[in-house]
């Protein structure tokens, strides 16, 4: 038998008698996982998952974003809402103004400011009920605190010995009182019970925190899932020191439960409540307070909610940590959205998104995902961007008329056989969908992600139509079933490890609903001979 002669100093490579096989990669319902050994790929996980949202049954394409309002040309630094009876209001702030954007007359034109001539747009607001009604009370660390009664904005008239009210930077409610952080200090202030004004009293943590910095924010932490007598007050510093107090009156029965250490927080709005627990976004990940009080700071990352994406999280902090982050729960869509601002436009706009039930992570990318602020009102998620625009998410099938591409790359797999070369000939993806789309299936090899050019979007339509297009070599099921299976696509790649991948571009009117079920890869097995 003849054999090719290898050049001096190189190994001769030939394929043994080939063996064909097929491997099925089920949908990455565990989401984005980047903290695992690359040579020991986790199952049902993705190495890259952009604009695909992991569900309990597969991963689905994210919806588009639609322009809702414009407040100017600068960043939308804060957003919040007011709900009292039949009155619902939505507000947004830039660096100098507060705008009522409840019902914009023209989404392209900024309305007249409800409050103007301000010095900062980083507001924190809390809705607080008193005998006089429901009020929004907010502060920004630079201007006199503001109040809204459902109709009118007014300046706060609170006073306090030694207090300059414009220095108050954060507000929260605890045990029927309003508490305020004094910016750049170790002090917070509190008002009388059931009051939004009056004489504030100072409370200092100068002898409690000893690492320096200043107070950043305060919050409530509950030992159960609701408000009750077991609620605790939490105060967090800019350097990650956490003080926990119990009691209802700081002047009489407050007791220090303990002082704990977490890593540096990502911002005063980078917190959410999960049941009764308080989740805080830090430079090392999202840490529950319930974990922080029971573990050493050096071990917190091991119990972080973001453990599966720790390397990716840390890399994003390095790129985007100069601006404050935000976090928002969207229960109606079962999402947790982490807004990561893009400083100076030097990195791609993106946000982390997690499934609230499964904890699986992904990333949403695109121009409108440079999230500077966000809020949820009546089941609708609003995000404020860097150029004065407010968008609604999960709306339609384009990003305000522009295409966006969803990319899923599985972890590199040995395909059940370590060592031999695998020659991948064919692959196919199986989806569940009711709307037409174009999918491009491919593979990367040997730990290097190489994606082909993005596919085109299917032709636009305003109805859910079947049998109107051919995507790659896929065939639509004429029966009207919601199960769609692509035909085999030629791959022609060879490597020791293989990562199947799929790309879908969306730029249509209806919201896409395609859900990836699996990718099948057909290969032939070779061997290395020295």
């Amino acid at each position: 038998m003849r054999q090719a002669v290898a050049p001096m100093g190189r190994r001769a490579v030939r394929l043994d008698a080939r063996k064909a096989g097929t491997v099925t990669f089920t949908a990455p319902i565990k989401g984005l996982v980047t903290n695992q050994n690359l040579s020991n790929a986790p199952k049902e996980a993705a190495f890259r998952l952009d604009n695909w949202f992991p569900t309990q049954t597969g991963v689905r394409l994210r919806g588009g974003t639609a322009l809702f309002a414009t407040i100017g040309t600068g960043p939308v630094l804060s957003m919040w809402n007011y709900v009292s009876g039949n009155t619902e209001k939505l507000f947004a702030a830039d660096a100098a103004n507060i705008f009522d954007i409840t019902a914009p007359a023209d989404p392209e034109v900024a309305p007249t400011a409800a409050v103007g001539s301000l010095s900062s747009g980083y507001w924190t607001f809390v809705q607080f009920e008193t005998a006089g009604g429901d009020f929004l009370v907010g502060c920004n660390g630079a201007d006199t605190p503001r109040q809204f009664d459902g109709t009118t904005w007014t300046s706060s008239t609170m006073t306090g010995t030694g207090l300059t009210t414009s220095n108050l930077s954060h507000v929260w409610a605890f045990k029927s009182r309003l508490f305020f952080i004094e910016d750049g200090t170790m002090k917070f202030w509190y008002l009388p019970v059931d009051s939004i004004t009056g004489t504030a009293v100072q409370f200092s943590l100068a002898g409690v925190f000893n690492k320096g910095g200043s107070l950043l924010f305060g919050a409530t932490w509950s030992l159960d899932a609701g408000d009750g007598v077991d609620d605790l007050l939490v105060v967090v510093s800019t350097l990650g020191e956490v003080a926990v107090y119990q009691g209802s009156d700081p002047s009489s029965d407050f007791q220090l439960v303990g002082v704990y250490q977490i890593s540096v927080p990502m911002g005063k709005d980078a917190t959410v409540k999960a049941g009764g627990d308080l989740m805080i976004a830090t430079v090392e990940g999202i840490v529950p307070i319930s974990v922080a009080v029971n573990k050493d700071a050096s071990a917190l990352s091991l119990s972080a909610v973001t453990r599966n994406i720790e390397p990716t999280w840390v890399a994003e902090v390095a790129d985007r940590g100069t601006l404050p982050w935000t976090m928002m729960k969207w229960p109606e869509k079962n999402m947790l959205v982490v807004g990561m601002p893009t400083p100076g436009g030097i990195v791609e706009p993106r946000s982390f998104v997690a499934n609230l039930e499964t904890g699986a992570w992904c990333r949403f990318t695109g121009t409108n995902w440079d999230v500077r602020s966000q809020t949820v009102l009546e089941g609708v998620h609003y995000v404020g961007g860097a150029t004065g625009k407010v968008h609604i998410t999960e709306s339609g099938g384009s990003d305000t008329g522009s295409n966006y591409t969803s990319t899923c790359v599985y972890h590199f797999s040995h395909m059940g056989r370590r060592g031999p070369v695998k020659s991948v000939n064919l692959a196919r993806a199986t989806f569940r969908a009711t709307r037409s789309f174009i999918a491009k299936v491919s593979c990367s090899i040997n730990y290097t992600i190489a994606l082909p050019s993005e596919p085109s979007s299917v032709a636009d339509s305003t109805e859910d139509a079947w049998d109107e297009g051919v995507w790659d070599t896929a065939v639509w099921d004429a029966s009207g079933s919601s199960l769609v299976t692509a035909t085999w696509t030629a791959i022609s790649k060879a490597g020791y490890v293989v990562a199947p991948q799929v790309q879908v571009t969306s730029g249509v009117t209806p919201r896409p609903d395609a859900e990836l079920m699996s990718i099948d890869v057909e290969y032939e097995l070779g061997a290395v001979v020295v």
Side-chain angles (χ1 to χ4, degrees):
M1 181 178 69
R2 295 182 179 180
Q3 178 175 335
V5 178
M8 292 296 292
R10 296 181 60 183
R11 294 178 175 180
V13 179
R14 74 179 183 190
L15 293 178
D16 283 343
R18 296 192 169 191
K19 298 180 180 179
T22 302
V23 175
T24 297
F25 293 79
T26 55
I29 60 174
K30 295 178 182 177
L32 182 66
V33 177
T34 58
N35 70 332
Q36 300 291 315
N37 188 320
L38 293 181
S39 66
N40 189 22
K43 295 184 183 299
E44 298 183 322
F47 189 73
R48 179 175 172 183
L49 196 62
D50 291 346
N51 297 324
W52 294 90
F53 181 71
T55 68
Q56 295 189 32
T57 56
V59 290
R60 68 164 178 83
L61 297 172
R62 77 159 170 89
T65 52
L67 181 63
F68 176 75
T70 299
I71 67 170
T73 58
V76 184
L77 298 175
S78 305
M79 280 199 296
W80 61 95
N81 51 61
Y82 172 89
V83 179
S84 178
N86 295 324
T87 302
E88 296 180 357
K89 295 285 186 178
L90 179 63
F91 298 98
D94 62 13
N97 307 281
I98 293 174
F99 298 89
D100 184 341
I101 58 169
T102 307
D106 184 338
E108 299 280 358
V109 179
T112 302
V115 182
S117 301
L118 300 170
S119 301
S120 173
Y122 287 109
W123 289 89
T124 300
F125 276 91
V126 63
Q127 187 164 329
F128 193 76
E129 184 177 1
T130 71
D134 287 331
F135 296 88
L136 279 177
V137 179
C139 53
N140 66 0
D143 298 288
T144 301
R146 293 303 199 271
Q147 299 169 181
F148 179 73
D149 63 3
T151 304
T152 306
W153 284 96
T154 57
S155 296
S156 173
T157 58
M158 78 171 73
T159 60
T161 303
L163 172 63
T164 301
T165 57
S166 59
N167 291 336
L168 300 179
S169 58
H170 180 79
V171 58
W172 77 103
F174 176 74
K175 297 290 182 71
S176 301
R177 295 177 187 269
L178 290 180
F179 290 76
F180 301 82
I181 297 293
E182 183 177 346
D183 191 42
T185 74
M186 284 291 181
K187 297 181 288 188
F188 67 75
W189 298 76
Y190 61 94
L191 286 171
V193 171
D194 296 331
S195 299
I196 61 171
T197 187
T199 302
V201 179
Q202 178 191 133
F203 192 102
S204 177
L205 279 77
V208 177
F209 290 160
N210 55 28
K211 293 185 178 295
S214 59
L215 301 188
L216 180 62
F217 67 90
T220 299
W221 172 37
S222 180
L223 299 179
D224 57 26
D227 295 329
V229 296
D230 57 355
D231 286 356
L232 303 173
L233 181 137
V234 176
V235 185
V236 182
S237 80
T238 54
L239 297 183
E241 288 187 284
V242 179
V244 179
Y245 286 88
Q246 65 181 3
S248 58
D249 188 346
S251 66
S252 60
D253 66 352
F254 253 31
Q255 294 182 354
L256 180 64
V257 175
V259 179
Y260 311 95
Q261 184 68 51
I262 60 176
S263 51
V264 174
M266 294 306 298
K268 63 180 182 178
D269 292 325
T271 66
V272 295
K273 294 290 290 293
D277 211 349
L278 178 67
M279 319 288 283
I280 302 174
T282 74
V283 296
E284 294 183 350
I286 299 176
V287 178
I289 284 294
S290 59
V291 172
V293 302
N294 290 307
K295 292 192 175 183
D296 185 83
S298 62
L300 288 180
S301 63
L302 299 176
S303 302
V305 174
T306 47
R307 174 61 177 163
N308 282 347
I309 59 169
E310 181 181 4
T312 309
W313 180 279
V314 172
E316 296 289 13
V317 169
D319 287 340
R320 307 164 196 270
T322 57
L323 294 173
W325 291 17
T326 63
M327 285 206 300
M328 181 63 59
K329 282 197 310 181
W330 189 7
E332 290 81 3
K333 292 294 184 180
N334 198 33
M335 289 181 180
L336 171 67
V337 180
V338 181
M340 306 181 294
T342 305
I346 58 176
V347 287
E348 179 190 22
R350 62 173 69 109
S351 295
F352 282 125
V353 181
N355 185 309
L356 286 172
E357 290 183 352
T358 67
W361 287 93
C362 64
R363 301 186 306 185
F364 284 1
T365 67
T367 302
N368 298 336
W369 286 97
D370 179 4
V371 176
R372 305 301 178 95
S373 57
Q374 54 181 322
T375 192
V376 173
L377 176 62
E378 290 298 303
V380 179
H381 182 227
Y382 301 86
V383 294
T387 58
K389 305 293 186 181
V390 176
H391 290 89
I392 297 174
T393 67
E394 289 294 317
S395 177
S398 71
D399 281 346
T400 54
S402 298
N403 293 356
Y404 62 92
T405 299
S406 303
T407 303
C408 172
V409 180
Y410 283 76
H411 277 265
F412 289 91
S413 171
H414 292 276
M415 311 276 278
R417 292 290 300 273
R418 290 180 178 269
V421 173
K422 292 86 179 173
S423 180
V424 179
N425 301 317
L426 300 168
R428 68 178 178 187
T430 300
F431 298 90
R432 183 168 60 182
T434 60
R435 300 183 176 99
S436 57
F437 61 98
I438 297 173
K440 180 177 283 188
V441 182
S442 59
C443 287
S444 289
I445 60 171
N446 296 344
Y447 304 113
T448 299
I449 294 178
L451 291 164
S453 60
E454 298 174 349
S456 300
S457 173
V458 71
D460 194 13
S461 65
T462 57
E463 298 179 356
D464 300 344
W466 286 77
D467 298 321
E468 290 192 356
V470 177
W471 47 284
D472 254 355
T473 51
V475 180
W476 288 95
D477 184 347
S479 68
S481 166
S482 64
L483 181 63
V484 184
T485 303
T487 58
W488 291 99
T489 301
I491 300 296
S492 299
K493 287 282 189 78
Y496 296 100
V497 288
V498 177
Q501 52 203 23
V502 60
Q503 299 162 279
V504 176
T505 296
S506 183
V508 295
T509 299
R511 185 173 67 84
D513 68 345
E515 186 175 25
L516 176 66
M517 300 287 100
S518 63
I519 297 181
D520 300 317
V521 176
E522 185 180 277
Y523 69 96
E524 293 179 324
L525 192 65
V528 175
V529 178
V530 179

